[in-house]
Amino acid sequence: MADVAARVGVSRQLVSLVMSDRPGPSARTRQRVLRAAEEVGYRADRTARLLRRARSRQIGVLFTMEHPLDVHLVEAVYPAAAELDYGVVLSALLSTRGERESIDDLLGLRCEALILIGLSAAAPAHLATIAAQVPVVEIGQRTGGEGTDSVRTADADGARQAVDHLVGQGHRAIAHVDAGELPGAPERRRGYTDAMRAHGLGGHVEVIGGDYSEESGARAARALLTRDRPPTAVVASNDRCALGLVETLVRAGVRVPEDVAVVGYDDSRTARLSFLDLTSVRQDAGRMAGLAVACAAERLDEGRTTNRHVVLEPTLVVRGSTGPPRSDAD
């Protein structure tokens, strides 16, 4: 800052006013100071500025780097936070970096609230401890931590919509590749099973174990390829799983959707790829992120103390990966 002041011939205090975007300096002086700062490569120390403020107005976001939906959510958090005059600090969950370490990093950076994306279901006790210090909002699930808020999609209803769509096209033998106990998976499995039974297809219920990865879809496809009469349709746990499933089936000469119809979940950018054209259950990432930020701001700025749990309705987006079964199929 002293270098910029000397270069322009003004006081250091005046440079501080310009860099903090505070009133006082004229427009011409601002331009000169900003030009000089650019020339000497000066950048304001955001950490020092935060330390001088009574409030940081920073929201910490914990996310994974595995799922496309997480990326959509992080992208949507930024404009939602900016609209309410909050900044965003990111902390990634990795195989070598657990939840506690990642959350502790965000708290150490003076984040006033936490938005947690893709948290494991085994953390409610720890969450209650954190929620006693700062507002905590979960996206994508509700683990039940005391004092936390959540924003999620009605996953059971999403799976039901997928089954209803396939049954409406004439399918009866419909399998589901699930994701075990990962967030949202038990609800999707329940929605699939309940919908099949509601259509009188309880005898065709088949849950194939998997997860939210392309490889789990590929494994399921390889298992189906060993059968004389595989199911005519599959509801995948998510779009990544559906991609692995479709890729493996097509490589083996199985046509999608003529031989096997496939439905994904999330309606991520993967589903919209022209060569995949995947029918998928849509989760509204923009709305979920906006509601999560609003939940945090309500606690911080309005003093809300009651818990808030928002459940959004999913919608099925129909594309080219589904169609009627072959006439010779059951």
mmCIF file of all heavy atoms in Angstrom, residues 41-77:
data_model
loop_
_atom_site.group_PDB
_atom_site.id
_atom_site.type_symbol
_atom_site.label_atom_id
_atom_site.label_comp_id
_atom_site.label_asym_id
_atom_site.label_seq_id
_atom_site.Cartn_x
_atom_site.Cartn_y
_atom_site.Cartn_z
ATOM 1 N N GLY A 41 1.296 -4.656 -8.939
ATOM 2 C CA GLY A 41 0.843 -5.989 -8.563
ATOM 3 C C GLY A 41 0.301 -6.085 -7.156
ATOM 4 O O GLY A 41 0.351 -7.154 -6.534
ATOM 5 N N TYR A 42 -0.265 -4.974 -6.649
ATOM 6 C CA TYR A 42 -0.793 -4.976 -5.292
ATOM 7 C C TYR A 42 -2.184 -5.599 -5.252
ATOM 8 O O TYR A 42 -3.028 -5.317 -6.097
ATOM 9 C CB TYR A 42 -0.871 -3.540 -4.749
ATOM 10 C CG TYR A 42 -1.627 -3.438 -3.439
ATOM 11 C CD1 TYR A 42 -1.047 -3.865 -2.251
ATOM 12 C CD2 TYR A 42 -2.920 -2.935 -3.399
ATOM 13 C CE1 TYR A 42 -1.734 -3.790 -1.054
ATOM 14 C CE2 TYR A 42 -3.620 -2.856 -2.207
ATOM 15 C CZ TYR A 42 -3.023 -3.281 -1.034
ATOM 16 O OH TYR A 42 -3.715 -3.213 0.142
ATOM 17 N N ARG A 43 -2.421 -6.459 -4.263
ATOM 18 C CA ARG A 43 -3.742 -7.018 -3.997
ATOM 19 C C ARG A 43 -4.041 -6.832 -2.518
ATOM 20 O O ARG A 43 -3.184 -7.071 -1.674
ATOM 21 C CB ARG A 43 -3.802 -8.515 -4.338
ATOM 22 C CG ARG A 43 -3.604 -8.827 -5.810
ATOM 23 C CD ARG A 43 -4.792 -8.365 -6.649
ATOM 24 N NE ARG A 43 -4.618 -8.708 -8.060
ATOM 25 C CZ ARG A 43 -3.970 -7.968 -8.954
ATOM 26 N NH1 ARG A 43 -3.418 -6.827 -8.558
ATOM 27 N NH2 ARG A 43 -3.866 -8.364 -10.193
ATOM 28 N N ALA A 44 -5.262 -6.417 -2.218
ATOM 29 C CA ALA A 44 -5.643 -6.226 -0.819
ATOM 30 C C ALA A 44 -5.572 -7.543 -0.059
ATOM 31 O O ALA A 44 -5.882 -8.603 -0.607
ATOM 32 C CB ALA A 44 -7.058 -5.657 -0.733
ATOM 33 N N ASP A 45 -5.149 -7.499 1.194
ATOM 34 C CA ASP A 45 -5.057 -8.681 2.050
ATOM 35 C C ASP A 45 -6.437 -8.963 2.630
ATOM 36 O O ASP A 45 -6.851 -8.356 3.614
ATOM 37 C CB ASP A 45 -4.049 -8.428 3.172
ATOM 38 C CG ASP A 45 -3.741 -9.695 3.966
ATOM 39 O OD1 ASP A 45 -4.609 -10.593 3.987
ATOM 40 O OD2 ASP A 45 -2.653 -9.783 4.547
ATOM 41 N N ARG A 46 -7.156 -9.895 2.025
ATOM 42 C CA ARG A 46 -8.521 -10.186 2.466
ATOM 43 C C ARG A 46 -8.550 -10.754 3.877
ATOM 44 O O ARG A 46 -9.466 -10.482 4.651
ATOM 45 C CB ARG A 46 -9.185 -11.166 1.496
ATOM 46 C CG ARG A 46 -9.479 -10.567 0.145
ATOM 47 C CD ARG A 46 -10.111 -11.598 -0.773
ATOM 48 N NE ARG A 46 -11.338 -12.139 -0.226
ATOM 49 C CZ ARG A 46 -12.530 -11.565 -0.349
ATOM 50 N NH1 ARG A 46 -12.647 -10.423 -0.988
ATOM 51 N NH2 ARG A 46 -13.604 -12.132 0.174
ATOM 52 N N THR A 47 -7.548 -11.547 4.217
ATOM 53 C CA THR A 47 -7.518 -12.128 5.556
ATOM 54 C C THR A 47 -7.398 -11.049 6.617
ATOM 55 O O THR A 47 -8.122 -11.062 7.625
ATOM 56 C CB THR A 47 -6.341 -13.119 5.680
ATOM 57 O OG1 THR A 47 -6.461 -14.129 4.675
ATOM 58 C CG2 THR A 47 -6.328 -13.765 7.056
ATOM 59 N N ALA A 48 -6.504 -10.097 6.392
ATOM 60 C CA ALA A 48 -6.343 -9.005 7.344
ATOM 61 C C ALA A 48 -7.620 -8.170 7.437
ATOM 62 O O ALA A 48 -8.028 -7.732 8.519
ATOM 63 C CB ALA A 48 -5.167 -8.116 6.926
ATOM 64 N N ARG A 49 -8.268 -7.964 6.301
ATOM 65 C CA ARG A 49 -9.505 -7.185 6.304
ATOM 66 C C ARG A 49 -10.585 -7.896 7.108
ATOM 67 O O ARG A 49 -11.329 -7.278 7.870
ATOM 68 C CB ARG A 49 -9.978 -6.966 4.861
ATOM 69 C CG ARG A 49 -11.194 -6.065 4.730
ATOM 70 C CD ARG A 49 -11.592 -5.911 3.284
ATOM 71 N NE ARG A 49 -10.543 -5.281 2.506
ATOM 72 C CZ ARG A 49 -10.586 -5.139 1.183
ATOM 73 N NH1 ARG A 49 -11.636 -5.602 0.506
ATOM 74 N NH2 ARG A 49 -9.614 -4.547 0.538
ATOM 75 N N LEU A 50 -10.674 -9.222 6.954
ATOM 76 C CA LEU A 50 -11.671 -9.980 7.706
ATOM 77 C C LEU A 50 -11.413 -9.906 9.207
ATOM 78 O O LEU A 50 -12.343 -9.822 10.007
ATOM 79 C CB LEU A 50 -11.679 -11.438 7.257
ATOM 80 C CG LEU A 50 -12.295 -11.727 5.887
ATOM 81 C CD1 LEU A 50 -12.067 -13.190 5.514
ATOM 82 C CD2 LEU A 50 -13.779 -11.406 5.884
ATOM 83 N N LEU A 51 -10.141 -9.943 9.590
ATOM 84 C CA LEU A 51 -9.795 -9.903 11.007
ATOM 85 C C LEU A 51 -10.195 -8.578 11.645
ATOM 86 O O LEU A 51 -10.472 -8.510 12.839
ATOM 87 C CB LEU A 51 -8.291 -10.146 11.184
ATOM 88 C CG LEU A 51 -7.813 -11.576 10.927
ATOM 89 C CD1 LEU A 51 -6.297 -11.639 10.948
ATOM 90 C CD2 LEU A 51 -8.420 -12.536 11.943
ATOM 91 N N ARG A 52 -10.230 -7.511 10.840
ATOM 92 C CA ARG A 52 -10.601 -6.202 11.371
ATOM 93 C C ARG A 52 -12.111 -6.030 11.488
ATOM 94 O O ARG A 52 -12.575 -5.106 12.138
ATOM 95 C CB ARG A 52 -10.025 -5.089 10.485
ATOM 96 C CG ARG A 52 -8.509 -4.954 10.556
ATOM 97 C CD ARG A 52 -8.047 -3.662 9.933
ATOM 98 N NE ARG A 52 -8.362 -3.587 8.515
ATOM 99 C CZ ARG A 52 -7.530 -3.991 7.538
ATOM 100 N NH1 ARG A 52 -6.358 -4.496 7.858
ATOM 101 N NH2 ARG A 52 -7.878 -3.895 6.283
ATOM 102 N N ARG A 53 -12.865 -6.918 10.846
ATOM 103 C CA ARG A 53 -14.316 -6.791 10.862
ATOM 104 C C ARG A 53 -14.909 -7.559 12.026
ATOM 105 O O ARG A 53 -14.421 -8.623 12.414
ATOM 106 C CB ARG A 53 -14.914 -7.319 9.553
ATOM 107 C CG ARG A 53 -14.622 -6.431 8.370
ATOM 108 C CD ARG A 53 -14.884 -7.111 7.046
ATOM 109 N NE ARG A 53 -16.243 -7.629 6.912
ATOM 110 C CZ ARG A 53 -16.717 -8.167 5.796
ATOM 111 N NH1 ARG A 53 -15.935 -8.266 4.725
ATOM 112 N NH2 ARG A 53 -17.953 -8.615 5.744
ATOM 113 N N ALA A 54 -15.991 -7.017 12.604
ATOM 114 C CA ALA A 54 -16.670 -7.714 13.696
ATOM 115 C C ALA A 54 -17.296 -9.009 13.188
ATOM 116 O O ALA A 54 -17.340 -10.009 13.896
ATOM 117 C CB ALA A 54 -17.740 -6.813 14.301
ATOM 118 N N ARG A 55 -17.791 -8.994 11.945
ATOM 119 C CA ARG A 55 -18.364 -10.176 11.316
ATOM 120 C C ARG A 55 -17.615 -10.458 10.020
ATOM 121 O O ARG A 55 -17.268 -9.541 9.280
ATOM 122 C CB ARG A 55 -19.845 -9.965 11.016
ATOM 123 C CG ARG A 55 -20.743 -9.932 12.223
ATOM 124 C CD ARG A 55 -22.200 -9.933 11.779
ATOM 125 N NE ARG A 55 -22.507 -11.067 10.905
ATOM 126 C CZ ARG A 55 -23.678 -11.218 10.290
ATOM 127 N NH1 ARG A 55 -24.630 -10.317 10.441
ATOM 128 N NH2 ARG A 55 -23.883 -12.277 9.518
ATOM 129 N N SER A 56 -17.426 -11.730 9.734
ATOM 130 C CA SER A 56 -16.723 -12.080 8.495
ATOM 131 C C SER A 56 -17.662 -12.108 7.295
ATOM 132 O O SER A 56 -17.232 -11.914 6.162
ATOM 133 C CB SER A 56 -16.068 -13.464 8.637
ATOM 134 O OG SER A 56 -17.055 -14.493 8.663
ATOM 135 N N ARG A 57 -18.954 -12.387 7.527
ATOM 136 C CA ARG A 57 -19.950 -12.555 6.459
ATOM 137 C C ARG A 57 -19.451 -13.570 5.422
ATOM 138 O O ARG A 57 -19.610 -13.400 4.225
ATOM 139 C CB ARG A 57 -20.322 -11.219 5.799
ATOM 140 C CG ARG A 57 -20.962 -10.231 6.766
ATOM 141 C CD ARG A 57 -21.701 -9.130 6.037
ATOM 142 N NE ARG A 57 -22.908 -9.616 5.365
ATOM 143 C CZ ARG A 57 -24.086 -9.794 5.954
ATOM 144 N NH1 ARG A 57 -24.231 -9.546 7.256
ATOM 145 N NH2 ARG A 57 -25.124 -10.228 5.267
ATOM 146 N N GLN A 58 -18.883 -14.649 5.922
ATOM 147 C CA GLN A 58 -18.411 -15.740 5.086
ATOM 148 C C GLN A 58 -19.220 -16.997 5.401
ATOM 149 O O GLN A 58 -19.424 -17.344 6.560
ATOM 150 C CB GLN A 58 -16.930 -16.038 5.360
ATOM 151 C CG GLN A 58 -15.998 -14.870 5.098
ATOM 152 C CD GLN A 58 -15.529 -14.844 3.652
ATOM 153 O OE1 GLN A 58 -16.313 -14.959 2.738
ATOM 154 N NE2 GLN A 58 -14.251 -14.704 3.467
ATOM 155 N N ILE A 59 -19.662 -17.684 4.345
ATOM 156 C CA ILE A 59 -20.343 -18.963 4.493
ATOM 157 C C ILE A 59 -19.411 -20.063 3.988
ATOM 158 O O ILE A 59 -18.935 -20.011 2.852
ATOM 159 C CB ILE A 59 -21.669 -18.993 3.714
ATOM 160 C CG1 ILE A 59 -22.658 -17.983 4.305
ATOM 161 C CG2 ILE A 59 -22.276 -20.397 3.725
ATOM 162 C CD1 ILE A 59 -23.964 -17.895 3.556
ATOM 163 N N GLY A 60 -19.139 -21.034 4.835
ATOM 164 C CA GLY A 60 -18.286 -22.147 4.434
ATOM 165 C C GLY A 60 -19.097 -23.233 3.767
ATOM 166 O O GLY A 60 -20.206 -23.551 4.205
ATOM 167 N N VAL A 61 -18.558 -23.813 2.695
ATOM 168 C CA VAL A 61 -19.243 -24.873 1.954
ATOM 169 C C VAL A 61 -18.355 -26.110 1.909
ATOM 170 O O VAL A 61 -17.243 -26.058 1.377
ATOM 171 C CB VAL A 61 -19.595 -24.425 0.521
ATOM 172 C CG1 VAL A 61 -20.273 -25.565 -0.245
ATOM 173 C CG2 VAL A 61 -20.491 -23.193 0.546
ATOM 174 N N LEU A 62 -18.834 -27.187 2.476
ATOM 175 C CA LEU A 62 -18.136 -28.468 2.432
ATOM 176 C C LEU A 62 -18.746 -29.296 1.309
ATOM 177 O O LEU A 62 -19.962 -29.478 1.257
ATOM 178 C CB LEU A 62 -18.303 -29.200 3.768
ATOM 179 C CG LEU A 62 -17.657 -30.569 3.884
ATOM 180 C CD1 LEU A 62 -16.149 -30.445 3.860
ATOM 181 C CD2 LEU A 62 -18.114 -31.264 5.163
ATOM 182 N N PHE A 63 -17.919 -29.796 0.401
ATOM 183 C CA PHE A 63 -18.446 -30.531 -0.750
ATOM 184 C C PHE A 63 -17.496 -31.656 -1.137
ATOM 185 O O PHE A 63 -16.329 -31.659 -0.739
ATOM 186 C CB PHE A 63 -18.661 -29.589 -1.943
ATOM 187 C CG PHE A 63 -17.381 -29.098 -2.571
ATOM 188 C CD1 PHE A 63 -16.969 -29.588 -3.806
ATOM 189 C CD2 PHE A 63 -16.583 -28.167 -1.931
ATOM 190 C CE1 PHE A 63 -15.799 -29.150 -4.383
ATOM 191 C CE2 PHE A 63 -15.396 -27.720 -2.504
ATOM 192 C CZ PHE A 63 -15.004 -28.212 -3.740
ATOM 193 N N THR A 64 -18.007 -32.606 -1.919
ATOM 194 C CA THR A 64 -17.157 -33.655 -2.466
ATOM 195 C C THR A 64 -16.761 -33.276 -3.884
ATOM 196 O O THR A 64 -17.345 -32.372 -4.482
ATOM 197 C CB THR A 64 -17.877 -35.013 -2.505
ATOM 198 O OG1 THR A 64 -18.878 -34.976 -3.531
ATOM 199 C CG2 THR A 64 -18.521 -35.331 -1.170
ATOM 200 N N MET A 65 -15.796 -33.966 -4.425
ATOM 201 C CA MET A 65 -15.358 -33.699 -5.792
ATOM 202 C C MET A 65 -15.722 -34.857 -6.713
ATOM 203 O O MET A 65 -15.143 -35.031 -7.769
ATOM 204 C CB MET A 65 -13.841 -33.440 -5.816
ATOM 205 C CG MET A 65 -13.427 -32.279 -4.934
ATOM 206 S SD MET A 65 -11.655 -31.945 -4.941
ATOM 207 C CE MET A 65 -11.431 -31.310 -6.586
ATOM 208 N N GLU A 66 -16.717 -35.659 -6.297
ATOM 209 C CA GLU A 66 -17.038 -36.876 -7.032
ATOM 210 C C GLU A 66 -18.285 -36.758 -7.896
ATOM 211 O O GLU A 66 -18.369 -37.387 -8.941
ATOM 212 C CB GLU A 66 -17.230 -38.037 -6.052
ATOM 213 C CG GLU A 66 -15.974 -38.388 -5.264
ATOM 214 C CD GLU A 66 -16.218 -39.565 -4.338
ATOM 215 O OE1 GLU A 66 -17.343 -40.088 -4.343
ATOM 216 O OE2 GLU A 66 -15.292 -39.945 -3.604
ATOM 217 N N HIS A 67 -19.266 -35.983 -7.448
ATOM 218 C CA HIS A 67 -20.576 -36.024 -8.091
ATOM 219 C C HIS A 67 -20.884 -34.736 -8.853
ATOM 220 O O HIS A 67 -20.694 -33.633 -8.316
ATOM 221 C CB HIS A 67 -21.652 -36.269 -7.042
ATOM 222 C CG HIS A 67 -21.371 -37.443 -6.165
ATOM 223 N ND1 HIS A 67 -21.187 -38.719 -6.688
ATOM 224 C CD2 HIS A 67 -21.196 -37.551 -4.831
ATOM 225 C CE1 HIS A 67 -20.940 -39.555 -5.699
ATOM 226 N NE2 HIS A 67 -20.932 -38.874 -4.569
ATOM 227 N N PRO A 68 -21.374 -34.844 -10.086
ATOM 228 C CA PRO A 68 -21.705 -33.653 -10.875
ATOM 229 C C PRO A 68 -22.683 -32.719 -10.172
ATOM 230 O O PRO A 68 -22.574 -31.502 -10.283
ATOM 231 C CB PRO A 68 -22.318 -34.239 -12.154
ATOM 232 C CG PRO A 68 -21.723 -35.605 -12.272
ATOM 233 C CD PRO A 68 -21.574 -36.091 -10.867
ATOM 234 N N LEU A 69 -23.652 -33.285 -9.442
ATOM 235 C CA LEU A 69 -24.621 -32.427 -8.768
ATOM 236 C C LEU A 69 -23.948 -31.518 -7.754
ATOM 237 O O LEU A 69 -24.356 -30.359 -7.584
ATOM 238 C CB LEU A 69 -25.694 -33.278 -8.062
ATOM 239 C CG LEU A 69 -26.788 -32.465 -7.362
ATOM 240 C CD1 LEU A 69 -27.618 -31.677 -8.371
ATOM 241 C CD2 LEU A 69 -27.670 -33.368 -6.521
ATOM 242 N N ASP A 70 -22.910 -32.013 -7.073
ATOM 243 C CA ASP A 70 -22.199 -31.178 -6.107
ATOM 244 C C ASP A 70 -21.606 -29.946 -6.778
ATOM 245 O O ASP A 70 -21.631 -28.844 -6.219
ATOM 246 C CB ASP A 70 -21.081 -31.982 -5.432
ATOM 247 C CG ASP A 70 -21.611 -33.085 -4.534
ATOM 248 O OD1 ASP A 70 -22.850 -33.240 -4.476
ATOM 249 O OD2 ASP A 70 -20.800 -33.785 -3.905
ATOM 250 N N VAL A 71 -21.077 -30.136 -7.983
ATOM 251 C CA VAL A 71 -20.500 -29.007 -8.725
ATOM 252 C C VAL A 71 -21.590 -27.991 -9.056
ATOM 253 O O VAL A 71 -21.400 -26.774 -8.899
ATOM 254 C CB VAL A 71 -19.819 -29.495 -10.018
ATOM 255 C CG1 VAL A 71 -19.297 -28.314 -10.828
ATOM 256 C CG2 VAL A 71 -18.678 -30.461 -9.680
ATOM 257 N N HIS A 72 -22.761 -28.466 -9.502
ATOM 258 C CA HIS A 72 -23.870 -27.563 -9.805
ATOM 259 C C HIS A 72 -24.276 -26.780 -8.557
ATOM 260 O O HIS A 72 -24.577 -25.577 -8.632
ATOM 261 C CB HIS A 72 -25.083 -28.351 -10.313
ATOM 262 C CG HIS A 72 -24.809 -29.167 -11.538
ATOM 263 N ND1 HIS A 72 -23.766 -28.913 -12.398
ATOM 264 C CD2 HIS A 72 -25.466 -30.236 -12.053
ATOM 265 C CE1 HIS A 72 -23.782 -29.793 -13.382
ATOM 266 N NE2 HIS A 72 -24.806 -30.608 -13.194
ATOM 267 N N LEU A 73 -24.299 -27.450 -7.411
ATOM 268 C CA LEU A 73 -24.696 -26.791 -6.173
ATOM 269 C C LEU A 73 -23.700 -25.718 -5.762
ATOM 270 O O LEU A 73 -24.085 -24.612 -5.378
ATOM 271 C CB LEU A 73 -24.835 -27.834 -5.052
ATOM 272 C CG LEU A 73 -26.038 -28.771 -5.167
ATOM 273 C CD1 LEU A 73 -25.886 -29.953 -4.215
ATOM 274 C CD2 LEU A 73 -27.329 -28.026 -4.865
ATOM 275 N N VAL A 74 -22.403 -26.032 -5.852
ATOM 276 C CA VAL A 74 -21.381 -25.050 -5.495
ATOM 277 C C VAL A 74 -21.475 -23.831 -6.409
ATOM 278 O O VAL A 74 -21.392 -22.676 -5.958
ATOM 279 C CB VAL A 74 -19.972 -25.684 -5.568
ATOM 280 C CG1 VAL A 74 -18.897 -24.606 -5.455
ATOM 281 C CG2 VAL A 74 -19.797 -26.713 -4.459
ATOM 282 N N GLU A 75 -21.650 -24.065 -7.694
ATOM 283 C CA GLU A 75 -21.787 -22.947 -8.633
ATOM 284 C C GLU A 75 -22.966 -22.055 -8.261
ATOM 285 O O GLU A 75 -22.895 -20.837 -8.368
ATOM 286 C CB GLU A 75 -21.982 -23.478 -10.056
ATOM 287 C CG GLU A 75 -20.733 -24.108 -10.654
ATOM 288 C CD GLU A 75 -20.997 -24.699 -12.031
ATOM 289 O OE1 GLU A 75 -22.194 -24.845 -12.401
ATOM 290 O OE2 GLU A 75 -20.036 -25.019 -12.743
ATOM 291 N N ALA A 76 -24.065 -22.677 -7.819
ATOM 292 C CA ALA A 76 -25.268 -21.913 -7.500
ATOM 293 C C ALA A 76 -25.177 -21.201 -6.153
ATOM 294 O O ALA A 76 -25.876 -20.206 -5.930
ATOM 295 C CB ALA A 76 -26.482 -22.843 -7.507
ATOM 296 N N VAL A 77 -24.329 -21.695 -5.240
ATOM 297 C CA VAL A 77 -24.185 -21.061 -3.933
ATOM 298 C C VAL A 77 -23.589 -19.656 -4.068
ATOM 299 O O VAL A 77 -24.002 -18.719 -3.363
ATOM 300 C CB VAL A 77 -23.319 -21.928 -2.997
ATOM 301 C CG1 VAL A 77 -22.804 -21.105 -1.815
ATOM 302 C CG2 VAL A 77 -24.116 -23.119 -2.491
#
